[in-house]
Amino acid sequence: MQLTITTLSDDIFTLDVSEDLELENFKALCEFETGISSNEIAVLWNGRPLQDEKQTLKQYGIKNGDVLLLQQMRSGQRAGGQAASGQSSAGAGALPQIDFGSIHIPGAGPAAAPRPAQQQQQQQPTAAMMEDPDFIRQMLLSNPHQVALLKERNPPLADALASGKPEKFREVFVKQQQERQEKEKERIRLATADPFDADAQRQIAEEIRLKNVESNMETAMEFAPESFGQVVMLYVDCTVNGHAVKAFVDSGAQMTIMSQACAERCNIMRLVDKRWAGIAKGVGTQRIIGRVHLCQIQIGPDYHQSSFSILEDQPMDMLLGLDMLKRHQCCIDLKKNRLIIGTTGTETQFLAEGDLPEHARLNLTNQPSGEKEDEQLAQALAKSAAEAASGSRPTPSTSGMKDSKAGSSSAAPAQSQPSFPEEVVQRLMSRGFSRHAVLEELRLAGGHEETALAALIAKSFSLP
C-alpha cells in the first residue's frame, strides 16, 4: 500500500510498503528518506502516536492512502512521552513532547526556521557531489537502469564505466565536463556578440542546424525506432574446392572477391594471375594480389562457375559480387530471406545471426574514419607507385579504378616483370645461389623469402 509521510518542516514524500510491515522497520525506511535516526522518530496517525514497534501497520488500522506525521523527538524524549530522567507523562497514551521549533513562520527570516542538521547534510552536498566523478560512478554502479540509459545516450562514458577502471571513468567524465563548459562559454559569447559579425552568424547557423538534427533524431526514435537497430548481413554457405566458406552476398560490389587467407585454405593460390594486380578502393583500401579466372563454387546442390579477385588483407573470406549474381540471374528475396539462383531455380537460406563470422557483426566503432580511409588510400597508392617505378607493378593510374560502391574495384593486367627488395636477394645469394635462380624462385613464390629459399634448397639436391 502507498502512504504519504509529512513532517513539520514541510517535507512530504510517499512510501510503498506492505501492510504487514512492523513499525520499527517502517521507521528505518523513514530514516533512509529523512536522515533522522529511527530512535528519534515519533510516528503519529490520526493525532495519536504509534508506540509499539512490534505491531504491524495493519494491526494499527493504517490503510492505503493514509497520511502519517513524523516528528524528531527532543534529546532525552521517548515516544511514550517519558523523559530520560524517569519522570512519567500524563499517561502511557499521552502525546510525546513535540519540538515545534522547526515550523516555518510566515514572514520570518531563515534563522527562524532552522532545519534538522541531518537534512541539511543530506541536501547541501548534492550539487557538489554531482561534479565528483567518483560519486557519479558509484551512483551509476548502484543503479542498473541508469547504466542502461547511459549506454544509449553516452556510449563513451558507458564504456569507461564498464572498463572497471576509476581513473579512466574520471578522465572521460572530466573531459566531457570541460567540453560542456566550453560550449556554454561559446553560447554566452554568441549571445553577446555583434549580430552583424559573419563568424558569429555562421556559428549561430551551425547551432541551429545541430538543434534541427537533434529534433530529427528524437522524432525518428519516437516514430521509427527500428531504424536504430542492427541489420544482419546476408551470408550463405558455399563450398570452394571442397572447403566450406561463408560467402557475403553484396549486390553493390562490382566483382566477386576472396581473401588471400581463404584462397590459401582452398588451395587455389596456384591459379592466381598476378598480372591483374591492383588496388581496390571502397570502404577502406585493399591491395589486389591477382585474379583467379575460373573456379567452381557449390551453393546448395549446384555447382557454378565464378572468377575471384584475390585481396591481400580482406577480413571477410569471400564476397559474391554483382558479376556473379548477374551471371547466374540471382534474386535476393528478403521476404523469404533466401538467395534464389535463377539459372537452376534453387533457393538457399541466408544464415542466421548466430551463424555469421565474427567480423560480419555490425560494429560501427571499428570502421575506419574518413581521414584514416584517405590515409590508407594514399599509402596504397604510394606503395603502388614505388613498386611500379622499380618494375614490379603497374602505375596507380592503371592499377585500380575507384568505384562508388563499397568493396568494388577494377584492375588492369600488369605487363612488367616483378622486382624484389635487394636485401632479400642478397640474403638468398649469400647461401650460394645465383642471382638469376634467386629472382626466378622469388617470382614463383610471389616474393615470399622462406618459400623461395625452400625451393632453392630442394633444387640444389642431386641424386647420387
Side-chain angles (χ1 to χ4, degrees):
M1 60 182 177
Q2 189 176 68
L3 301 178
T4 301
I5 315 300
T6 183
T7 65
L8 296 179
S9 56
D10 295 339
D11 289 334
I12 299 177
F13 57 92
T14 60
L15 288 177
D16 288 323
V17 297
S18 171
E19 60 182 8
D20 296 325
L21 184 67
E22 295 180 352
L23 180 62
E24 60 179 354
N25 295 328
F26 176 76
K27 286 185 177 182
L29 291 177
C30 295
E31 177 184 358
F32 178 78
E33 294 289 339
T34 62
I36 304 174
S37 174
S38 60
N39 296 328
E40 300 178 359
I41 291 178
V43 182
L44 288 86
W45 175 65
N46 289 341
R48 67 184 183 90
L50 309 181
Q51 297 178 353
D52 190 352
E53 297 190 348
K54 294 302 181 181
Q55 286 193 8
T56 64
L57 300 180
K58 182 179 181 180
Q59 291 174 337
Y60 277 115
I62 299 174
K63 301 180 294 297
N64 181 42
D66 284 356
V67 178
L68 302 180
L69 174 66
L70 296 187
Q71 176 59 38
Q72 183 179 9
M73 302 292 295
R74 286 180 177 178
S75 178
Q77 297 294 328
R78 292 184 302 177
Q82 185 177 6
S85 60
Q87 297 177 356
S88 61
S89 59
L95 290 175
Q97 297 184 11
I98 300 175
D99 180 14
F100 294 96
S102 60
I103 300 177
H104 292 280
I105 302 175
R115 299 178 62 86
Q118 292 87 343
Q119 295 184 15
Q120 292 180 1
Q121 293 176 359
Q122 181 185 10
Q123 296 179 4
Q124 289 178 358
T126 303
M129 288 180 177
M130 295 306 293
E131 303 296 329
D132 183 13
D134 295 330
F135 175 79
I136 296 296
R137 181 174 177 271
Q138 293 298 330
M139 182 181 69
L140 291 173
L141 290 176
S142 62
N143 194 330
H145 176 67
Q146 294 296 332
V147 174
L149 292 178
L150 188 69
K151 290 180 180 179
E152 178 184 347
R153 301 175 181 177
N154 195 339
L157 193 62
D159 294 340
L161 179 66
S163 67
K165 300 178 180 178
E167 60 277 4
K168 183 177 180 180
F169 181 85
R170 188 180 301 107
E171 178 183 355
V172 176
F173 183 82
V174 172
K175 181 179 178 181
Q176 292 186 355
Q177 270 188 326
Q178 294 174 351
E179 291 176 354
R180 286 194 296 269
Q181 293 172 0
E182 290 296 330
K183 289 181 179 179
E184 182 64 19
K185 291 180 181 178
E186 186 67 18
R187 187 189 66 80
I188 296 174
R189 188 186 71 81
L190 292 177
T192 58
D194 182 7
F196 297 101
D197 183 29
D199 182 61
Q201 289 297 318
R202 282 194 298 269
Q203 296 187 27
I204 292 174
E206 177 64 15
E207 186 175 353
I208 294 174
R209 187 191 70 83
L210 293 177
K211 288 183 178 179
N212 291 336
V213 171
E214 288 293 330
S215 176
N216 180 263
M217 186 181 73
E218 291 175 0
T219 303
M221 292 179 67
E222 181 178 359
F223 296 102
E226 65 277 3
S227 62
F228 294 91
Q230 283 191 339
V231 177
V232 178
M233 306 305 287
L234 304 179
Y235 274 77
V236 294
D237 281 326
C238 65
T239 304
V240 179
N241 199 21
H243 295 269
V245 178
K246 297 181 185 296
F248 174 42
V249 180
D250 186 4
S251 61
Q254 184 179 1
M255 63 176 54
T256 300
I257 65 175
M258 178 181 286
S259 67
Q260 180 182 0
C262 182
E264 291 174 352
R265 292 201 311 269
C266 298
N267 299 321
I268 60 174
M269 282 297 293
R270 54 188 173 83
L271 301 176
V272 175
D273 186 352
K274 296 183 179 179
R275 295 175 298 174
W276 291 77
I279 294 175
K281 173 66 171 68
V283 179
T285 306
Q286 299 287 338
R287 187 170 76 90
I288 301 176
I289 298 176
R291 176 186 172 100
V292 176
H293 297 293
L294 185 64
C295 184
Q296 278 193 338
I297 63 175
Q298 182 182 3
I299 301 178
D302 302 321
Y303 290 86
H304 309 277
Q305 287 76 31
S306 180
S307 58
F308 305 103
S309 292
I310 308 301
L311 271 61
E312 181 180 39
D313 188 18
Q314 173 65 25
M316 68 181 64
D317 288 339
M318 181 176 165
L319 182 147
L320 298 180
L322 194 60
D323 57 342
M324 170 72 177
L325 299 177
K326 293 187 70 173
R327 181 185 305 173
H328 299 285
Q329 303 174 11
C330 297
C331 176
I332 300 175
D333 192 335
L334 298 180
K335 183 176 181 180
K336 296 181 179 179
N337 197 35
R338 294 181 179 180
L339 176 65
I340 303 174
I341 301 177
T343 54
T344 60
T346 57
E347 299 182 2
T348 301
Q349 189 78 18
F350 289 120
L351 298 182
E353 184 177 3
D355 299 327
L356 297 183
E358 185 65 26
H359 63 266
R361 304 184 186 278
L362 186 62
N363 188 2
L364 299 179
T365 58
N366 292 335
Q367 298 294 336
S369 62
E371 296 180 358
K372 186 175 181 181
E373 180 183 348
D374 293 340
E375 181 181 353
Q376 291 176 351
L377 177 61
Q379 293 176 355
L381 291 176
K383 182 179 179 181
S384 177
E387 293 180 352
S390 61
S392 64
R393 294 255 306 280
T395 61
S397 60
T398 61
S399 62
M401 301 297 294
K402 178 179 177 182
D403 193 283
S404 60
K405 299 295 186 179
S408 63
S409 64
S410 62
Q415 302 297 336
S416 58
Q417 294 296 326
S419 65
F420 307 99
E422 187 61 25
E423 60 269 21
V424 175
V425 177
Q426 291 297 330
R427 281 200 299 268
L428 294 177
M429 291 177 60
S430 65
R431 298 178 179 269
F433 303 109
S434 65
R435 185 179 185 86
H436 175 75
V438 168
L439 292 177
E440 180 65 18
E441 291 301 329
L442 282 174
R443 184 185 67 81
L444 295 176
H448 295 284
E449 181 181 355
E450 296 180 355
T451 305
L453 177 60
L456 288 170
I457 294 176
K459 290 183 179 180
S460 65
F461 293 150
S462 59
L463 295 175

